[in-house]
Amino acid sequence: MSKQARRGGWRMIVLPHLLVGSAVGQSLQQDLLRAATSPDTPVATTSADAASPFQQLATQAANAYRAGDKVRAIEGFDQAAAEAFRVGASGAAFEYAIAAAEITRSVKDQAGAAERFRRAALSAVRDPRSAAAHEAACVATGAAFAASGSPTSAQLDAYQAVLDEHQTLWPTAPSATGMRRRAIELLAARRDAARLLNQTSAEQAQAEPWLVALRVQAHGQVLASAATPAEHTARLAAATEELQPLVLGTSRRWPDAWTPLQRQIAIVLGRGHLARDGDGPDYARRVLSVAVRSDPPPQQAWLREALPLLATATLAVGRAGEAHALLVESGVEPAEADRALSGLAERLAAAAPDHRAAAVEALAERLGWRASARSRAAPAAAEEKGSPLAVARRALVEAADADSRRDALEAWTALERRSTRSSDLWREARRARLRLLIDLKEVDQARKLLRLTQLLAAEGDADWRAVLTALEHETVSTAAQADGRR
């Protein structure tokens, strides 16, 4: 993300406070500032007993303000507030502190203003005006961070702390609701999903619609960060319990018209269930396919995320052809779709072992398909000359050059598709395909097919695994020779 984009993002987080700040200023700070600096503020006389020390300091500060010396005015009101607080004149201390804070804000020192507003509020928590003063501290803190462009983590921690402090000390103040929302939105912007979910609830979201989308986003983030399968299972159960009713409603039926939020829920739940063993991929495929095909037509940005996810779920249930079509529909070039499917299968095998066999077997079949007319004609030609097995074996023996090896590869590929997976015939065909790919120096294709075959191999089948290991060594050797000639 560019620096300019980051700066704009943080401004979206903190600047809404300024709208609150204008109202606060009209109701509190500016009134106090006018009172402290108006022509009616008494000027110190020559009598030492005419005014207390803090009143004298306030008078000098007011005179400096009238003269346009805001720096001296801020210093004077700070001193007056400190002296008033020392002698127990809390009301005067509060007013002088607010005057200093408002003048500080007028010279664009938001951080200094925030510190003074907060200090004033905390020094007189029971004062009816303290909540508004603390709200102004939140306003100024947010404005300071917006001006900085890219706040540091420590600065954002401080901002979060002052927002939380407002809710703790003034939970019933009119400003508490707004500060709470800003604190939650800041958690979302910082991707602190676990804390957001802990500090809010599904019941609160029902009463505050703006919170629903943030909780949907947070559920997706905590699912993605689950450290163990057990943790993922627990988080997925909580997400499904809360989010599924937002799609199906009380009637437990698909929506007649999908909202953008319901489609986002489909992605969160689809991705979460795809990693679940058992019927997880089927759940993901059903919810995503309905969301993709239902009215109103989804936005293209959503489809770019949903279609590859739906393709993964479709592949996981053994439907490689449908998965291929979905990838093409999502914008993947047809020539690259098989490569993309291979990557999906490998991720599935690593993330969800129970779905490995169906996904990899479907992909292995998919990778055997060829679009050329020559490939489609090969099985028919083989039948005319004898049994498929005889034709394939003869082609392998006669494969002395690249063209004849390709003919042999097509014959063995066709034979493998007709055989039962893991049978002796299937293994003979797979072994022949791998050796021919190595002979043709198609190392990348050989590696891909070999990886898929190893994934399918049973743990206890030592002989077959030994054959695959030998072919792997041949592949590595061929690749090394090719690199040496470059």
Side-chain angles (χ1 to χ4, degrees), residues 19-42:
L19 301 176
V20 180
S22 62
V24 172
Q26 292 171 7
S27 63
L28 177 63
Q29 296 97 319
Q30 291 179 3
D31 288 345
L32 293 174
L33 178 61
R34 281 195 295 271
T37 59
S38 71
D40 297 329
T41 301

Side-chain angles (χ1 to χ4, degrees), residues 219-473:
H219 275 298
Q221 290 167 354
V222 298
L223 281 169
S225 64
T228 64
E231 188 175 58
H232 183 275
T233 298
R235 293 179 177 184
L236 180 59
T240 304
E241 181 180 7
E242 178 179 346
L243 303 184
Q244 183 173 280
L246 299 180
V247 175
L248 299 179
T250 56
S251 63
R252 299 185 61 81
R253 297 178 59 185
W254 297 117
D256 293 328
W258 284 68
T259 66
L261 180 62
Q262 287 172 325
R263 283 195 160 107
Q264 192 57 38
I265 290 172
I267 284 181
V268 169
L269 293 182
R271 182 175 284 116
H273 280 272
L274 183 56
R276 178 171 63 84
D277 289 336
D279 63 350
D282 190 57
Y283 179 106
R285 186 180 65 84
R286 283 187 290 115
V287 68
L288 286 166
S289 62
V290 174
V292 165
R293 306 305 177 198
S294 295
D295 290 327
Q299 296 293 320
Q300 287 301 312
W302 182 85
L303 282 173
R304 283 193 293 271
E305 184 177 5
L307 286 173
L309 190 59
L310 177 55
T312 307
T314 304
L315 178 62
V317 298
R319 301 185 180 186
E322 290 180 28
H324 182 277
L326 286 164
L327 286 176
V328 172
E329 184 180 351
S330 73
V332 176
E333 291 295 327
E336 296 296 321
D338 282 335
R339 186 190 304 274
L341 281 177
S342 178
L344 295 181
E346 291 181 19
R347 287 195 293 274
L348 276 170
D354 278 9
H355 312 137
R356 174 174 72 180
V360 176
E361 182 177 4
L363 182 59
E365 180 181 358
R366 172 72 212 176
L367 292 176
W369 298 346
R370 289 180 178 272
S372 68
R374 180 169 178 253
S375 176
R376 289 194 299 270
E383 289 291 351
E384 293 176 2
K385 299 176 182 178
S387 72
L389 179 58
V391 170
R393 285 174 173 164
R394 185 167 59 252
L396 183 60
V397 171
E398 296 172 355
D401 55 30
D403 286 342
S404 60
R405 285 178 181 137
R406 294 192 185 281
D407 288 339
L409 181 61
E410 290 175 353
W412 281 108
T413 299
L415 181 61
E416 182 188 297
R417 285 206 304 268
R418 298 181 181 198
S419 59
T420 302
R421 184 175 68 83
S422 297
S423 65
D424 291 343
L425 180 57
W426 183 90
R427 290 180 178 181
E428 182 180 0
R430 178 58 59 91
R431 185 168 57 248
R433 287 181 63 196
L434 287 166
R435 181 164 288 114
L436 285 163
L437 286 170
I438 294 170
D439 291 343
L440 286 165
K441 306 298 190 290
E442 294 185 9
V443 177
D444 288 343
Q445 190 72 8
R447 281 174 172 164
K448 183 190 303 182
L449 186 57
L450 183 59
R451 280 200 304 271
L452 297 173
T453 308
Q454 288 170 327
L455 287 170
L456 282 169
E459 294 293 338
D461 196 342
D463 292 342
W464 178 232
R465 285 185 170 275
V467 169
L468 297 177
T469 299
L471 289 168
E472 184 176 17
H473 292 160

